[in-house]
């Protein structure tokens, strides 16, 4: 128990703890809970290796993990939002808008003849701040404005992308060459043979798991998702907690964007298209209930990797008509969710 | 026929109120379409006091159908230039306008029933695929391995791919290893190319089939540090790509094929000028797709356009 809980009445603390305890399921049930997606991933990897031996190449594995990093990091934030009973449909548009604005800011800073390194750091801070700010706007509209999260984020989904399209005049916003060269190691570089985005993904996922399972905030999030009224009676600050989950998600989108921009050095109206669905799918495939209350970080990470692996395998083989790629992805998602359901 | 002759005779003295209905700028190509439409409006309205041009963008087929009604009832247009979102679902709404006496020019994507239109103006999708294949065959001296990226699954994309395949089939030593959808999108093209590079240890050339996709392809090749690839052929003639060809700044990019959003400009101009004189356009006008190389690249470079 955290020290700040001592100021709360006895009952709510016990209650929140009880809720979390039931869902975290420390016993064998807890371990079985995450088995669906893991089993799915293992099966897919075996199939991938059988279909094309290059699948198991270290380079290929790193490619897949690196491209998972964006969706994975966003999914970590999305996991909190969904567990608390909310949803965010705007993350793809938000990533695109942050990427575009970030590039514009960095290009503007270059005009002041600042060192590329400083420009990059300022750009990164801007991306994080903008992500947090947009998340805060979501949170306030949802909690203070009392609008359904689905509606708020459906609205901003359109707003964010429209503003990016407006800023880019419908074309692409491209990062200044010198800055782009200095920035590219953030995506293309690696540390101990593991690409930088993968390290960041690991760190964010571990941090997310820690916050979800080992802090009061994490327990409040789960309690609100299980039953918001009960949590409210238990003196959990529901509005503040919910708002924070959106701020957290916004920051995750900011971090993902910081890693994304050096990949192509540009943002266009097609940037981040359908990322919201991929992130939501990763969380759900990972075993989190869409109605909130229960979910695990491990599941979410596995879910995100699983989705990229399907795409990778389809590209590495040519048994199935290219017209049917999306169908294969759909089937795998449903099958894994089914495995998951039976075990929980 | 007599009625047709009368109405077009009357048009000669009357004003031409021309509506332009196009997709909203969601990627750089459609952004180019919007830009060129507004360019046409500005130039043509200045040149012809009897002409009024209304440009409307829409983000989907249903919205476009609604706008067509508004163009007729609110803007009272008597001529229409439309780039339809989809062929099938817009045929009926366009036919309704034509029935009410609006002169209709359809651009790029044809309607399923051609009697719903007066004229058709389009880019040359067959040449788009054929020129790319012919260029790559020549570049590789008739022998080598090619991978291709396709756009979004549409009839337009099939036309390009079929034309490309038809040329490749005539050269038994050229092997098309695979063709996958990159959705005319930089990110998707990057992923597809990464996977091609993993899967095929030797590739001689890439048909990226779009300049946006070529951008993603180049990044993937650069990251993998592969040196076997000699040529990346995009498509459409985006200004960045044309600039690269003019400057000779990337050895992998030597040529491109034109498929400029400028065809909307040509369609508006042709329609407006014909209607002002009370004339009709030929049934079909194909804006040719041309191979862009260092020699002629300057003619295809429009630095002010977003595309």
């Amino acid at each position: 128990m955290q020290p700040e809980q001592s100021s709360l009445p006895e009952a709510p603390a016990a209650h929140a703890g009880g809720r979390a305890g039931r869902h975290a399921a420390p016993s064998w049930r807890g371990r079985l809970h995450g088995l669906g997606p893991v089993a799915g991933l293992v099966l897919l990897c075996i199939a991938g290796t059988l279909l094309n031996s290059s699948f198991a190449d270290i380079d290929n594995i790193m490619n897949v993990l690196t491209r998972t990093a964006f969706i994975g990091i966003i999914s970590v934030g999305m996991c909190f939002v969904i567990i608390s009973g909310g949803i965010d449909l705007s993350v793809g548009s938000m990533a695109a808008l942050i990427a575009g604005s970030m590039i514009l800011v960095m290009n503007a800073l270059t005009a002041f003849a600042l060192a590329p390194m400083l420009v990059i750091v300022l750009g990164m801070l801007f991306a994080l701040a903008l992500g947090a700010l947009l998340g805060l706007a979501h949170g306030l509209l949802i909690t203070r404005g009392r609008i359904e999260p689905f509606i708020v984020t459906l609205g901003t989904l359109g707003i964010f992308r429209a503003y990016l399209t407006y800023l880019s005049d419908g074309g692409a916003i491209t990062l200044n060459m010198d800055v782009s060269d200095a920035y590219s190691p953030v995506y293309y570089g690696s540390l101990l043979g593991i690409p930088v985005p993968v390290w960041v993904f690991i760190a964010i996922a571990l941090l997310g798991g820690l916050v979800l399972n080992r802090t009061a905030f994490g327990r409040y999030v789960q309690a609100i998702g299980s039953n918001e009224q009960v949590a409210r009676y238990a003196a959990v600050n529901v509005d503040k907690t919910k708002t924070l989950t959106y701020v957290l998600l916004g920051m995750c989108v900011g971090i993902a964007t910081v890693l994304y921009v050096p990949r192509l050095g540009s943002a266009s109206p097609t940037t981040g298209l359908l990322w919201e669905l991929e992130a939501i799918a990763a969380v759900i495939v990972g075993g989190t209930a869409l109605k909130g209350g229960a979910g695990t970080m491990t599941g979410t990470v596995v879910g995100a990797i699983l989705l990229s692996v399907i795409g990778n395998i389809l590209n590495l083989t040519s048994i199935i008509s290219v017209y049917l790629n999306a169908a294969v992805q759909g089937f795998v998602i449903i099958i894994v969710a089914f495995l998951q359901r039976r075990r929980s | 026929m007599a009625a047709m002759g009368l109405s077009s005779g009357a048009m000669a003295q009357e004003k031409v109120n021309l509506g332009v209905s196009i997709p909203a700028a969601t990627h750089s190509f459609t952004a180019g379409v919007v830009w060129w439409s507004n360019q046409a409006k500005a130039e043509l309205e200045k040149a012809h006091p009897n002409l009024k041009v209304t440009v409307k963008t829409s983000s989907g087929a249903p919205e476009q159908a609604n706008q067509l009604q508004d163009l007729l009832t609110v803007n009272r247009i008597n001529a229409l230039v439309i780039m339809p979102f989809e062929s099938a679902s817009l045929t009926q709404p366009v036919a309704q306008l034509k029935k009410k006496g609006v002169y209709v020019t359809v651009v790029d994507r044809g309607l399923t029933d051609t009697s719903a239109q007066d004229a058709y103006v389009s880019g040359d999708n067959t040449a788009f695929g054929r020129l790319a294949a012919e260029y790559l065959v020549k570049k590789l001296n008739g022998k080598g391995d090619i991978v291709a990226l396709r756009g979004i699954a549409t009839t337009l994309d099939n036309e390009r791919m079929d034309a490309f395949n038809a040329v490749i089939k005539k050269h038994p030593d050229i092997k098309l290893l695979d063709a996958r959808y990159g959705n005319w999108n930089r990110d998707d093209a990057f992923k597809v190319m990464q996977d091609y590079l993993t899967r095929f240890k030797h590739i001689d050339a890439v048909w990226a089939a779009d300049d946006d996709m070529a951008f993603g392809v180049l990044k993937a090749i650069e990251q993998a540090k592969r040196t076997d690839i000699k040529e990346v052929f995009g498509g459409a003639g985006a200004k960045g790509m044309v600039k690269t060809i003019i400057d000779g700044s990337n050895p992998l990019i030597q040529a491109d094929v034109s498929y400029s959003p400028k065809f909307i400009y040509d369609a508006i101009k042709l329609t407006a000028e014909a209607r002002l004189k009370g004339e009709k356009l030929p049934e079909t006008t194909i804006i040719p797709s041309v191979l862009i190389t260092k020699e002629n690249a300057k003619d295809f470079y429009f630095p002010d356009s977003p595309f």
Side-chain angles (χ1 to χ4, degrees), chain A residues 52 54 60 63 67 165 169-172 187-188 260 263-264 266 269-270 312 314-318 322-323 325, chain B residues 25-28 31 153 158 178-181 185-187 190-192 194-195 198-199 201 215-216 219 223 306:
Chain A
N52 189 323
S54 306
N60 187 54
N63 277 348
R67 64 174 82 144
T165 310
D169 203 5
Y187 180 82
Y188 293 108
Y260 169 83
R263 173 155 104 180
L264 298 174
S266 73
T270 54
N312 180 242
L314 288 171
N315 280 341
L316 290 181
T317 52
S318 43
V322 283
Y323 291 118
N325 275 6
Chain B
T26 52
H27 55 276
S28 51
N158 290 345
D178 201 2
R180 301 239 153 221
Y181 289 106
N185 174 318
R186 294 174 180 213
D187 288 316
F190 178 86
K191 285 185 216 166
V192 170
Q194 264 194 339
D195 292 341
T198 304
R199 188 169 151 202
K201 296 302 164 211
F215 192 84
K219 285 282 179 185
Q223 182 209 13

Side-chain angles (χ1 to χ4, degrees), chain A residues 178-192:
Chain A
D178 296 334
V179 181
S180 190
D181 286 345
Y183 196 172
S184 71
V186 172
Y187 180 82
Y188 293 108
S190 52
L191 211 70
L192 307 174

Side-chain angles (χ1 to χ4, degrees), chain A residues 1 33-34 73 88 158 176 209 212 218 238 249 251 256-257 271 311 321:
Chain A
M1 286 286 139
H33 195 78
I73 290 168
D88 190 337
N176 176 295
L212 183 64
V238 172
L249 174 54
M251 287 173 74
T257 310
T271 299
S321 163

Side-chain angles (χ1 to χ4, degrees), chain B residues 77-152:
Chain B
I77 58 164
N78 52 21
L80 171 74
V81 174
I82 177 170
M83 183 168 166
F85 253 96
E86 288 162 15
S87 305
S89 56
L90 281 151
T91 299
Q92 202 45 41
V94 171
Q96 291 296 328
L97 258 71
K98 194 186 169 214
K99 230 181 260 170
K100 303 243 167 74
V102 175
Y103 185 89
V104 176
T105 301
V106 172
V107 184
D108 194 35
R109 267 159 263 184
L111 299 174
T112 42
D113 179 3
T114 48
S115 71
Q117 71 201 22
D118 292 291
Y120 177 59
V121 177
S122 90
D124 191 347
N125 285 303
T126 307
F128 187 101
R130 179 173 49 80
L131 287 171
E134 285 171 357
Y135 176 84
L136 289 177
V137 166
K138 200 172 146 209
K139 188 85 185 178
L140 298 178
N141 290 321
K143 191 173 173 356
D145 299 329
I146 300 178
V147 292
L149 284 91
R150 310 183 58 165
I152 292 172

Side-chain angles (χ1 to χ4, degrees), chain A residues 278-322:
Chain A
E278 282 185 54
I280 294 168
V283 174
I284 302 303
V285 163
T288 300
L290 190 54
K291 63 179 174 11
T296 68
M297 205 47 79
T298 329
T300 299
V301 170
V302 173
I305 295 172
L306 193 121
L307 293 181
S308 329
V309 168
I310 306 170
N312 180 242
I313 291 177
L314 288 171
N315 280 341
L316 290 181
T317 52
S318 43
I319 329 166
I320 293 158
S321 163
V322 283

Side-chain angles (χ1 to χ4, degrees), chain A residues 64-85:
Chain A
V64 172
L65 288 178
T66 312
R67 64 174 82 144
T68 310
F70 313 127
I71 296 296
I73 290 168
I74 294 174
S75 304
V76 169
M78 187 67 84
C79 190
F80 281 97
V81 167
I82 292 182
I83 290 178
S84 80

